[in-house]
Amino acid sequence: SIQFTELENQYNTSDYKRVFPDAGKHEGKHRKYGLHLWYEVDVDASMDLMKIAEGYTNTLGVQKAEPVYIPENIDAKQDVNIVPVPKLNGSSNDPLFDDQWGYENNGQTGGKSGADISLLEAWDIQTGNSDVIVAISDSGIDAEHEDLAQNMWVNTDEIPNNGIDDDDNGYIDDIHGYGFGDESSNIFVGSHGTHVAGIVAAVSNNNIGVAGIAGGDGSDDGVKLMTCAIYGERTNPSGFATSF
């Protein structure tokens, strides 16, 4: 339209892109809820983004426009060193379990005994369930991590690395999840996403590293982790919306 052309010239618009790309067999659901109408617009970053958003909001055919700021990926600045501590004579033989005072606090790190989530009592009821898939919308999970690999979700309807969307869900080669930040099956691994995944489902009772809250009892019965990487090498902010 003439209005859009004027805006494009005024704000040096370089590209329009759907926030939620075509979802293959699930595209009907996107359209049902209007997700196909969400677009991301690249504009001159030196200009007033609030003014640009106001200009688009006042344009016929646009219901709402707002700035999308590029997030800062703190993973690149993190340097996490884990120091092994003695084992806890409890329900898990993971060498770093005692360091996870939030699970079972006996005052082992100088904190208040009992200030925890009573995980050992919960484990008496349930340690995990491999039929449950937990999606981690964060930086990418290290799917080859020795304490996570066993509990990574695997998309059995997809053939790895063949460049084809075998299950017609809109994503190519999404074996353990997808890199929404880069719009690629190559997951940009991050320390924060991997850390969060470990809290949820590091394999428990395997004599390695830490224990996950729902990581199972060491017999491959932990919940499965799907990595939905919101960050990538390009740090695309649209990864936030599409990962959900």
Side-chain angles (χ1 to χ4, degrees):
S1 70
I2 296 177
Q3 283 184 300
F4 273 103
T5 300
E6 291 176 349
L7 288 171
E8 290 164 2
N9 292 333
Q10 184 177 357
Y11 301 128
N12 296 327
T13 301
S14 58
D15 188 36
Y16 288 88
K17 183 183 67 176
R18 274 183 57 170
V19 171
F20 297 90
D22 188 288
K25 63 184 178 183
H26 301 300
E27 177 63 12
K29 295 180 181 178
H30 278 197
R31 292 182 175 274
K32 178 180 178 180
Y33 295 102
L35 297 182
H36 64 298
L37 300 175
W38 291 38
Y39 276 82
E40 190 172 274
V41 183
D42 288 340
V43 296
D44 189 337
S46 66
M47 296 185 175
D48 186 336
L49 293 182
M50 293 304 298
K51 184 177 180 180
I52 295 174
E54 183 180 355
Y56 274 94
T57 299
N58 293 329
T59 299
L60 184 65
V62 177
Q63 187 175 42
K64 183 178 181 180
E66 58 187 12
V68 178
Y69 298 98
I70 297 177
E72 180 182 10
N73 185 355
I74 63 173
D75 268 325
K77 299 180 180 180
Q78 291 180 338
D79 183 15
V80 180
N81 295 312
I82 299 177
V83 179
V85 296
K87 295 181 182 180
L88 176 70
N89 295 321
S91 296
S92 173
N93 59 24
D94 298 285
L96 298 178
F97 181 81
D98 194 35
D99 200 36
Q100 297 177 278
W101 59 265
Y103 291 177
E104 185 71 11
N105 192 349
N106 296 309
Q108 65 267 46
T109 59
K112 181 180 179 181
S113 181
D116 55 50
I117 63 172
S118 301
L119 184 59
L120 295 186
E121 289 82 352
W123 278 350
D124 286 338
I125 302 171
Q126 176 67 264
T127 60
N129 186 329
S130 58
D131 291 330
V132 175
I133 301 170
V134 179
I136 305 295
S137 291
D138 202 306
S139 54
I141 301 173
D142 181 0
E144 298 179 1
H145 191 288
E146 62 177 356
D147 215 8
L148 296 175
Q150 182 178 322
N151 281 345
M152 290 301 299
W153 169 74
V154 177
N155 183 359
T156 56
D157 293 327
E158 193 79 14
I159 299 172
N161 304 316
N162 69 348
I164 299 172
D165 181 11
D166 299 290
D167 58 1
D168 189 29
N169 69 346
Y171 303 107
I172 296 173
D173 293 334
D174 53 322
I175 303 303
H176 298 300
Y178 198 69
F180 295 95
D182 286 328
E183 297 180 359
S184 169
S185 60
N186 295 319
I187 305 297
F188 188 72
V189 174
S191 59
H192 192 271
T194 300
H195 176 80
V196 171
I199 293 173
V200 175
V203 180
S204 300
N205 212 40
N206 65 344
N207 279 298
I208 297 174
V210 298
I213 291 174
D217 61 8
S219 59
D220 197 22
D221 61 350
V223 300
K224 297 305 178 184
L225 294 162
M226 178 191 296
T227 178
C228 298
I230 59 177
Y231 295 109
E233 290 183 307
R234 295 188 290 109
T235 319
N236 186 348
S238 68
F240 282 96
T242 51
S243 72
F244 292 104

